[in-house]
Amino acid sequence: MSQFDQYFLMKPADVVDYAREKLDFFPKDADLECSEIGDGNINFIFRVWDRNSGKSVVIKQAGTTARISEDFVLSTDRNRIESEILILEEKLASGLVPLIYKYDETMSCCAMEDLSDYVIMRRALMEHKTFPLFADHITTFMANTLLMTTDVVMNHQQKKEMVKRYTNPELCEITEDLVYTEPFNDYKGRNDVFPPNLDWVKENVYNNASLRLEAAKLKFEFLTNTQSLIHGDLHTGSIFIKPESTKIIDPEFAFYGPIGYDTGNIVANLIFAWANGDATIADPAERAVFCGWVEETIVQVVDMFNQKFLAVWQANVTEILAKEPGFDRWYLATVMRDTAGVAGLELFRRTLGLAHVKDITSIADQAARIRAERICLSVAERYIKQRGEYQTGADFLNTVKQFAAQFPRS
Amino acid sequence: MSQFDQYFLMKPADVVDYAREKLDFFPKDADLECSEIGDGNINFIFRVWDRNSGKSVVIKQAGTTARISEDFVLSTDRNRIESEILILEEKLASGLVPLIYKYDETMSCCAMEDLSDYVIMRRALMEHKTFPLFADHITTFMANTLLMTTDVVMNHQQKKEMVKRYTNPELCEITEDLVYTEPFNDYKGRNDVFPPNLDWVKENVYNNASLRLEAAKLKFEFLTNTQSLIHGDLHTGSIFIKPESTKIIDPEFAFYGPIGYDTGNIVANLIFAWANGDATIADPAERAVFCGWVEETIVQVVDMFNQKFLAVWQANVTEILAKEPGFDRWYLATVMRDTAGVAGLELFRRTLGLAHVKDITSIADQAARIRAERICLSVAERYIKQRGEYQTGADFLNTVKQFAAQFPRS
């Protein structure tokens, strides 16, 4: 019998015992220490390290309640999904996710690679740091994890079992509400529009019937298209980064949905980084360096994704009809269309909805923030309404540049 | 303890005992008799009746092996799905499916409404009987069962549970192969082309790259679009009919797929009935009566479906974005596009694939059969390649009339 045969919420001392008893990770003579490093409102996150060898591990335990629900089943299932997905992603895109050493269903916790020497990418971008390898890393991650879990590559019966296994109703509902619905009609009264932009938002979003109609079409795509096992929350806050390495974390929203949901989120969050740099870097030369790198990264993310997607396809396609000449490019064009649509949705909801991004809210100068938001919202509308026309990185970037030129700096 | 506490394959005498012991259906003094009425290669079907009251019931038991697999799990799960779906369809479209009195998981059997006074619709159509109420019945069935199980109407979390519950990998694979793949490339060598049409098929189907590309697009729609709980095998052989009543049976292929898969199958199988009448009724006046009725029915099936679909939508829509002006008609237009695509697929696969329809194979005159097949295959190609242009019943019918005029009677 072990104290860990039944779930309880661990304190740092328990975590040390747990690491000694349950993990095959530290040397026998390890001198372990532990501290809690997370903010603990959904999961409790601990770092355990050995003073002798310097080895370290992160242990993440699900709390008994979740922020979004009192239902414990939700919590534990989220953690199972997260561990399983990270293990699968490591197989498909090695080196681009934290390693999982163990998942413990009873204790509802997992032991994973310690990424303490990485930083959250959104934070780094707000400090205007650049990551020249990021486009290469994220496109390898996306092309592999996304395409390899589709019917293009997988046996269709096994893929259907995966669809069942990763059905994620509660977390999908959050996305359905916050990304696809509320930004366009504020039907729950939870939107949080920057007051100086309120009239502009009423005129250009809430009273924009043709925009709402396109949002409805995109919502049904999200509700019904079991295309690929997507990450489901792939923004720059879900990425740990350092110059030579990128690690994608937190796949708790994963489910079978449209590929464009992941690729579109990356594009949109790069645009937020660009808008922050454009609005807050006073020195024109410094601004040109950071914003120029972001622009190049937007172009590379789209173009390298397209190129790798076709290469992964070529190397792994099993579905006989997917080998028909021209089908790969048609399929990819639909992914780019969805990418533009979702990038537009993300730009809307993170600017005027319940969940803001700090890239925008941290812009202290009021006139600069008004302008940054209007650029993002205008790009968003164009992406959504003309999503069928976006194929290359230049297509995506040109719209940003066009609206940046249209709203003059004050 | 009862002999029915453990599965065994029943003989007629066992079925009488079963009906007495397990069904609350016959009067106490019933004088029961039973005979087997099915052909028994997947399911064993018995009719039990009471000589005194005249009441009767059908008992359907799953065999221990299925035609398509030695896996008994498949058999029993198919029967669970069938009973559950019929019960659900009766709730959504009352009177249009056989009533289920009992489903018995242990014995893997169900007791259902006796439809001995109905005939299989395909057989009746081959005798050139007409059913003036059919269009009204089948469109009520389709508009209600199909739309009421979508995200337009259902709570999205509950709908996701339904998607999981009715995942149907083995039977979907049959459709994926026989409907979507083999007709276009014969990759398993199982196609069965009427020899005088072989060269024509090679030229117009197997060597038709642009057609195969469209088939690939449609296949991925079938693989990934969890739009609605569809019947999955809705041809005229799955319909029991008499002049005043229509009963849709055999939903063992049911799963969450595209609405157009059901509607398209109905349209295609009406075209086969038309082709049979057109090829085999010698008397022009008689031919005009039967074919005229089929033509009118094709138009009505499409137009009444459209009309009822919008009415059911209006009365039952719950998804807030689905209420956006114009979204219902856009959604319906995509359903009509899929209807044309699937009608084309069904016309192909039932003419040149493994599973023929008797409407065509029973045409004794060789020249008449060559012509009938070429009309069907030409309509099929047009439906698939220009599927975005089909909206009204007249659109569907005009293509049939056009190709009928193009291939002269010999």
Side-chain angles (χ1 to χ4, degrees):
Chain A
M1 276 293 292
S2 152
Q3 62 169 319
F4 303 112
D5 288 349
Q6 198 180 348
Y7 177 86
F8 71 99
L9 215 50
M10 291 187 283
K11 296 285 166 205
D14 304 315
V15 177
V16 167
D17 291 344
Y18 184 88
R20 250 191 253 286
E21 185 180 324
K22 292 284 185 178
L23 300 186
D24 186 23
F25 184 81
F26 291 108
K28 271 198 161 176
D29 64 345
D31 178 12
L32 298 185
E33 200 156 344
C34 173
S35 69
E36 190 173 345
I37 57 175
D39 58 4
N41 64 353
I42 322 176
N43 293 304
F44 297 86
I45 305 176
F46 305 90
R47 180 164 180 264
V48 186
W49 68 97
D50 172 17
R51 288 171 189 264
N52 297 332
S53 66
K55 289 186 75 176
S56 61
V57 70
V58 161
I59 293 185
K60 186 168 173 179
Q61 185 180 32
T64 49
T65 58
R67 181 182 45 181
I68 50 151
S69 162
E70 294 293 312
D71 186 351
F72 180 56
V73 176
L74 166 60
S75 277
T76 53
D77 205 45
R78 262 184 23 248
N79 279 262
R80 171 188 69 79
I81 287 184
E82 180 176 358
S83 292
E84 287 184 7
I85 299 282
L86 287 172
I87 289 165
L88 176 64
E89 287 173 346
E90 171 63 24
K91 273 187 204 146
L92 298 176
S94 183
L96 293 165
V97 292
L99 294 170
I100 295 290
Y101 304 122
K102 181 190 181 71
Y103 173 65
D104 181 332
E105 201 174 335
T106 306
M107 289 299 290
S108 194
C109 72
C110 69
M112 60 201 290
E113 188 177 356
D114 179 18
L115 301 175
S116 301
D117 54 333
Y118 290 70
V119 291
I120 289 289
M121 187 177 183
R122 189 185 304 285
R123 212 170 296 162
L125 292 176
M126 285 173 60
E127 292 166 5
H128 308 126
K129 299 205 169 109
T130 62
F131 298 92
L133 299 179
F134 172 70
D136 187 31
H137 291 163
I138 195 72
T139 52
T140 294
F141 176 79
M142 294 194 299
N144 284 283
T145 61
L146 295 171
L147 185 50
M148 295 297 284
T149 54
T150 65
D151 284 296
V152 174
V153 175
M154 283 190 72
N155 168 287
H156 303 334
Q157 293 207 23
Q158 285 165 10
K159 181 257 186 173
K160 287 180 182 73
E161 289 306 316
M162 294 272 281
V163 172
K164 278 171 75 169
R165 183 161 186 87
Y166 297 110
T167 297
N168 201 345
E170 296 91 350
L171 295 197
C172 280
E173 188 175 28
I174 295 175
T175 303
E176 290 156 20
D177 249 8
L178 291 186
V179 179
Y180 286 87
T181 313
E182 295 184 49
F184 303 99
N185 56 26
D186 200 21
Y187 83 110
K188 288 189 173 172
R190 300 195 295 185
N191 283 358
D192 180 21
V193 181
F194 184 48
N197 269 337
L198 192 52
D199 286 343
W200 195 90
V201 164
K202 282 184 185 158
E203 186 185 332
N204 291 284
V205 183
Y206 299 158
N207 293 331
N208 190 338
S210 60
L211 173 64
R212 288 201 317 264
L213 181 59
E214 296 310 312
K217 296 177 188 174
L218 286 163
K219 185 172 185 180
F220 274 77
E221 176 86 359
F222 186 82
L223 288 167
T224 60
N225 184 2
T226 60
Q227 184 173 30
S228 165
L229 184 56
I230 69 172
H231 180 283
D233 198 27
L234 194 53
H235 56 83
T236 48
S238 299
I239 298 171
F240 266 128
I241 200 160
K242 56 184 182 181
E244 70 280 15
S245 174
T246 304
K247 298 277 188 182
I248 289 88
I249 61 167
D250 284 350
E252 63 187 17
F253 280 78
F255 78 110
Y256 261 85
I259 291 174
Y261 193 78
D262 279 358
T263 48
N265 265 289
I266 290 291
V267 170
N269 282 278
L270 287 170
I271 293 172
F272 285 132
W274 179 92
N276 178 284
D278 185 65
T280 67
I281 303 175
D283 179 67
E286 278 177 37
R287 191 165 68 222
V289 170
F290 179 74
C291 289
W293 170 77
V294 179
E295 289 169 15
E296 196 188 320
T297 302
I298 291 169
V299 172
Q300 285 182 344
V301 162
V302 173
D303 291 344
M304 292 171 82
F305 175 80
N306 280 346
Q307 184 191 342
K308 291 179 189 180
F309 193 87
L310 292 174
V312 174
W313 184 299
Q314 189 66 31
N316 297 283
V317 57
T318 66
E319 160 56 43
I320 185 166
L321 280 192
K323 297 174 185 170
E324 285 298 325
F327 184 70
D328 54 353
R329 286 176 186 275
W330 172 83
Y331 188 100
L332 182 56
T334 69
V335 170
M336 285 297 110
R337 177 199 66 202
D338 294 348
T339 302
V342 171
L345 293 166
E346 177 76 355
L347 286 166
F348 271 120
R349 74 108 170 184
R350 295 283 202 174
T351 303
L352 56 79
L354 180 63
H356 290 283
V357 283
K358 283 208 170 153
D359 315 55
I360 299 297
T361 56
S362 67
I363 300 171
D365 180 80
Q366 171 160 317
R369 180 167 170 191
I370 291 173
R371 176 173 177 268
E373 289 198 352
R374 290 187 187 180
I375 293 171
C376 290
L377 296 174
S378 301
V379 170
E381 182 180 4
R382 176 70 57 82
Y383 279 177
I384 289 175
K385 285 198 179 165
Q386 296 180 24
R387 58 190 179 280
E389 296 167 23
Y390 289 87
Q391 297 296 324
T392 68
D395 294 338
F396 282 87
L397 180 61
N398 288 344
T399 300
V400 178
K401 306 275 266 187
Q402 179 192 331
F403 283 107
Q406 197 164 308
F407 293 96
R409 262 175 226 282
S410 56
Chain B
M1 277 293 292
S2 153
Q3 62 169 319
F4 304 113
D5 289 347
Q6 199 180 345
Y7 176 86
F8 69 99
L9 216 49
M10 293 188 282
K11 296 284 166 205
D14 305 315
V15 177
V16 166
D17 291 343
Y18 184 88
R20 250 190 253 287
E21 186 181 323
K22 291 285 183 179
L23 300 186
D24 186 24
F25 183 81
F26 291 109
K28 270 197 160 175
D29 64 345
D31 179 11
L32 297 184
E33 200 155 345
C34 174
S35 69
E36 189 174 345
I37 56 175
D39 58 3
N41 63 353
I42 322 177
N43 292 304
F44 297 85
I45 305 176
F46 304 91
R47 182 166 178 264
V48 186
W49 69 97
D50 171 16
R51 288 168 189 267
N52 299 332
S53 67
K55 288 184 77 175
S56 62
V57 71
V58 162
I59 293 184
K60 186 169 176 180
Q61 186 180 33
T64 49
T65 57
R67 178 183 47 180
I68 50 154
S69 162
E70 293 294 311
D71 185 353
F72 181 57
V73 176
L74 167 61
S75 278
T76 52
D77 204 46
R78 262 182 25 244
N79 280 262
R80 171 188 70 78
I81 288 184
E82 179 176 358
S83 292
E84 287 183 7
I85 299 282
L86 287 172
I87 290 165
L88 176 65
E89 288 174 345
E90 171 64 23
K91 276 189 200 144
L92 299 176
S94 184
L96 293 165
V97 292
L99 293 170
I100 295 289
Y101 305 123
K102 181 190 180 72
Y103 173 64
D104 181 332
E105 202 174 333
T106 305
M107 290 298 291
S108 194
C109 73
C110 69
M112 60 200 292
E113 189 176 355
D114 179 17
L115 302 176
S116 302
D117 53 334
Y118 291 70
V119 292
I120 289 289
M121 188 175 181
R122 188 182 306 282
R123 211 169 298 165
L125 293 175
M126 285 175 60
E127 293 165 5
H128 308 126
K129 298 204 170 110
T130 62
F131 298 93
L133 299 179
F134 171 71
D136 187 31
H137 291 163
I138 196 72
T139 53
T140 294
F141 176 79
M142 294 194 299
N144 283 283
T145 61
L146 295 171
L147 185 49
M148 295 297 285
T149 54
T150 65
D151 284 297
V152 173
V153 174
M154 282 191 73
N155 168 287
H156 303 334
Q157 293 208 21
Q158 286 166 11
K159 181 257 185 174
K160 288 181 181 74
E161 289 306 316
M162 294 271 282
V163 172
K164 278 171 75 170
R165 185 164 185 84
Y166 297 110
T167 297
N168 202 345
E170 294 92 350
L171 296 197
C172 280
E173 187 174 27
I174 295 175
T175 303
E176 289 156 20
D177 249 7
L178 290 186
V179 179
Y180 286 88
T181 312
E182 295 184 50
F184 302 99
N185 55 26
D186 200 21
Y187 84 110
K188 289 189 174 172
R190 300 195 295 184
N191 283 358
D192 180 22
V193 181
F194 184 48
N197 269 338
L198 192 54
D199 287 342
W200 195 90
V201 163
K202 281 185 185 156
E203 185 185 335
N204 291 282
V205 184
Y206 299 158
N207 293 331
N208 191 337
S210 60
L211 173 65
R212 289 201 316 265
L213 181 59
E214 297 309 312
K217 297 177 188 174
L218 286 164
K219 184 172 185 181
F220 274 77
E221 176 85 359
F222 186 81
L223 287 166
T224 60
N225 184 1
T226 60
Q227 184 173 31
S228 164
L229 185 56
I230 69 174
H231 180 282
D233 197 28
L234 194 52
H235 57 83
T236 49
S238 298
I239 298 171
F240 267 128
I241 200 159
K242 57 185 181 179
E244 71 278 17
S245 174
T246 304
K247 298 276 188 183
I248 290 87
I249 62 167
D250 285 349
E252 64 186 16
F253 280 79
F255 79 109
Y256 261 84
I259 291 173
Y261 193 78
D262 279 358
T263 49
N265 265 291
I266 290 292
V267 169
N269 282 278
L270 286 170
I271 293 172
F272 286 131
W274 179 92
N276 178 285
D278 185 65
T280 66
I281 304 176
D283 179 69
E286 278 177 38
R287 190 165 68 223
V289 169
F290 179 75
C291 290
W293 170 78
V294 180
E295 290 169 14
E296 196 188 320
T297 302
I298 292 170
V299 172
Q300 284 182 347
V301 161
V302 173
D303 291 345
M304 291 172 82
F305 175 80
N306 280 345
Q307 183 191 344
K308 290 178 188 180
F309 193 87
L310 293 174
V312 174
W313 183 299
Q314 187 69 30
N316 297 284
V317 56
T318 66
E319 161 55 44
I320 185 166
L321 280 192
K323 296 174 185 170
E324 284 298 325
F327 184 70
D328 53 354
R329 285 178 187 276
W330 172 82
Y331 188 101
L332 182 55
T334 69
V335 169
M336 285 297 109
R337 177 200 65 202
D338 294 348
T339 302
V342 171
L345 293 166
E346 176 76 357
L347 286 165
F348 271 119
R349 74 109 171 184
R350 295 282 203 175
T351 303
L352 57 79
L354 180 64
H356 290 282
V357 284
K358 284 207 169 155
D359 316 53
I360 299 298
T361 57
S362 67
I363 300 170
D365 180 81
Q366 172 161 314
R369 180 167 169 189
I370 292 173
R371 176 173 178 269
E373 289 197 352
R374 292 187 185 182
I375 293 171
C376 289
L377 296 174
S378 301
V379 170
E381 182 181 5
R382 176 68 58 83
Y383 279 177
I384 288 175
K385 284 198 178 165
Q386 296 181 25
R387 58 192 179 280
E389 296 167 23
Y390 289 87
Q391 297 297 323
T392 69
D395 294 339
F396 283 87
L397 180 60
N398 287 343
T399 300
V400 179
K401 305 276 265 187
Q402 180 193 328
F403 283 106
Q406 199 164 306
F407 293 97
R409 261 174 228 283
S410 55

